[in-house]
Amino acid sequence: MTEQGIGPETRLVEWSSVEEAFAGAGDVGSGGVLLLGNGFSMNIWSTFGYHTLLERSGLTGTARRLFGNRSNFESVLAEVSTAQKVLGAAVPHEAYLMAQLDELAKEVRDALLETVSEVHPEVSQLMATQNPRNGTRLVRLPIDFLDQRAKYLQRYSKTFLTNYDLISYWVAVRAGIADLFAGSEAFDEAQAARGLSMSAPPKVFFRHGALHLWRSLATNAEGKHTASPDTP
């Protein structure tokens, strides 16, 4: 108990002492569920930091004022979504205001995705231990960067991703984790269901989408961008 007699004692432990309980004993897919967000990407490629992304996004006007002194795109998008729900419940006939909120959300979301794409490293840069920019926050990666992380990622039965970049996807491919978007064709729900029903290999889920995934505005179909054999 704590000194006040309220609640259990809190203490920090070494990851090595609890690792097996979360990540399994080392066998493929033997661990639990892993959640990776933008912090994972930032620690690998520091230009993915929200402050830098906002600086480079070029957002102006109302869309930029939504951030105030902050730089977290996800928080701003969540607030716009909340505003839409409140507006829809309180004054459901204000179609013009709802349209403005829709446009603001699209502007912020598009700026985030476009900026992530612009600052994104090539896989060769990660393998070559290059840095994203000059300054005090340098990122130096080992030559076997993808292999190291792949060996760890594949220990989890399921991995949920909330970041948009391709680093996690590259690691997942290296680890042999099941890709439920099997090719460049539209997403096949039945095929994905069959993949999910298999106990192995581990699975990866992109909670917010990602740069390599697409959705048709006309049909709402979803799929994955793939490189052409002719791509240099």
Side-chain angles (χ1 to χ4, degrees):
M1 299 290 287
T2 62
E3 291 182 2
Q4 295 79 14
I6 302 175
E9 179 183 356
T10 301
R11 62 190 180 90
L12 292 176
V13 298
E14 293 289 338
W15 171 246
S16 57
S17 68
V18 297
E19 179 178 6
E20 188 171 326
F22 292 93
D27 298 328
V28 173
S30 63
V33 176
L34 177 66
L35 174 65
L36 294 178
N38 196 49
F40 172 80
S41 303
M42 287 170 55
N43 279 303
I44 295 169
W45 198 250
S46 58
T47 314
F48 284 142
Y50 277 137
H51 180 73
T52 303
L53 292 177
L54 182 58
E55 284 183 339
R56 300 194 180 192
S57 69
L59 283 172
T60 59
T62 303
R64 178 62 182 85
R65 288 195 296 273
L66 289 174
F67 287 82
N69 295 323
R70 304 165 300 164
S71 59
N72 191 320
F73 283 77
E74 299 295 347
S75 295
V76 169
L77 288 170
E79 290 172 357
V80 174
S81 177
T82 299
Q84 289 174 307
K85 293 176 182 177
V86 172
L87 183 64
V91 281
H93 304 298
E94 290 289 348
Y96 174 72
L97 290 178
M98 189 65 75
Q100 284 188 308
L101 290 174
D102 284 339
E103 186 60 32
L104 281 172
K106 182 179 185 303
E107 187 176 353
V108 172
R109 185 168 52 250
D110 288 352
L112 172 59
L113 293 175
E114 290 170 7
T115 308
V116 168
S117 180
E118 289 172 4
V119 305
H120 204 290
E122 299 290 339
V123 67
S124 59
Q125 292 175 284
L126 299 181
M127 302 296 282
T129 70
Q130 295 187 20
N131 297 318
R133 63 176 185 267
N134 294 325
T136 57
R137 295 190 60 194
L138 300 180
V139 178
R140 296 192 179 279
L141 303 167
I143 297 298
D144 57 351
F145 159 76
L146 292 179
D147 288 330
Q148 284 185 348
R149 280 145 187 83
K151 290 177 182 177
Y152 192 78
L153 193 66
Q154 66 187 0
R155 293 171 59 180
Y156 292 88
S157 60
K158 294 182 178 67
T159 299
F160 291 89
L161 304 170
T162 60
N163 42 6
Y164 298 96
D165 60 84
L166 296 176
I167 295 177
S168 300
Y169 178 69
W170 289 337
V171 173
V173 170
R174 200 78 161 203
I177 292 177
D179 187 351
L180 301 180
F181 288 84
S184 59
E185 300 299 322
F187 179 69
D188 187 327
E189 187 173 352
Q191 183 180 22
R194 289 193 295 271
L196 285 172
S197 67
M198 299 170 58
S199 58
K203 315 297 188 301
V204 61
F205 303 88
F206 297 89
R207 296 288 292 119
H208 295 169
L211 292 180
H212 67 294
L213 302 176
W214 56 261
R215 172 181 290 172
S216 169
L217 296 178
T219 65
N220 214 35
E222 298 174 327
K224 180 179 69 176
H225 296 292
T226 57
S228 165
D230 300 325
T231 301

